[in-house]
Amino acid sequence: MTKKIVQFGLPVLIAAGLLAGCGSNGSGTGSSASPTTSVVASSTMPPGGSAANVAQVDPNTASESQIQAAFEAAGVSNAGKWAKEVTEYGPYSPDTISDTLTKELGKYGIDQQTLDAILSVLAPQ
């Protein structure tokens, strides 16, 4: 069975979380079906691309060219420059990547839309 990585916007995640929290199927047993797909969520949709078509990469293990290709697929302008900068400022943890890149890429005057697209592509492990 192949698992698919899918990205959803924040409102969808909130709704899904509320529904998942219900947990009761009305029978009183409290059992629920297990999902068969993995979901990697992002609160933003990258510009110029469909979120479902954008693969995420681990900036700690991916090469600069792999990061650049992921940025290009997400519609990030000047993807090569940003891939170089992302590679330079690693390694990243899932808890600090947003703060680190906001600070470091902010030095270059990155706009919020581009930063959001970059962050939507990166998934450090």
Side-chain angles (χ1 to χ4, degrees):
M1 174 187 267
T2 303
K3 292 189 179 197
K4 183 186 274 187
I5 296 176
V6 180
Q7 296 178 331
F8 296 102
L10 187 57
V12 173
L13 290 175
I14 292 170
L18 292 173
L19 290 174
C22 294
S24 174
N25 62 4
S27 66
T29 62
S31 64
S32 61
S34 297
T36 58
T37 58
S38 294
V39 176
V40 177
S42 172
S43 62
T44 59
M45 182 180 300
S50 169
N53 295 331
V54 178
Q56 290 190 310
V57 295
D58 182 347
N60 298 321
T61 59
S63 68
E64 185 177 317
S65 62
Q66 290 170 321
I67 295 170
Q68 179 178 343
F71 288 172
E72 289 169 351
V76 173
S77 61
N78 209 357
K81 172 187 176 181
W82 298 124
K84 180 178 179 180
E85 297 304 326
V86 165
T87 304
E88 180 180 331
Y89 291 112
Y92 303 97
S93 74
D95 298 333
T96 61
I97 188 168
S98 179
D99 292 338
T100 300
L101 288 178
T102 298
K103 176 184 170 191
E104 298 299 343
L105 300 183
K107 295 175 186 177
Y108 301 98
I110 192 169
D111 63 272
Q112 189 64 48
Q113 186 177 17
T114 301
L115 179 62
D116 289 344
I118 287 171
L119 292 173
S120 74
V121 170
L122 302 176
Q125 301 297 312

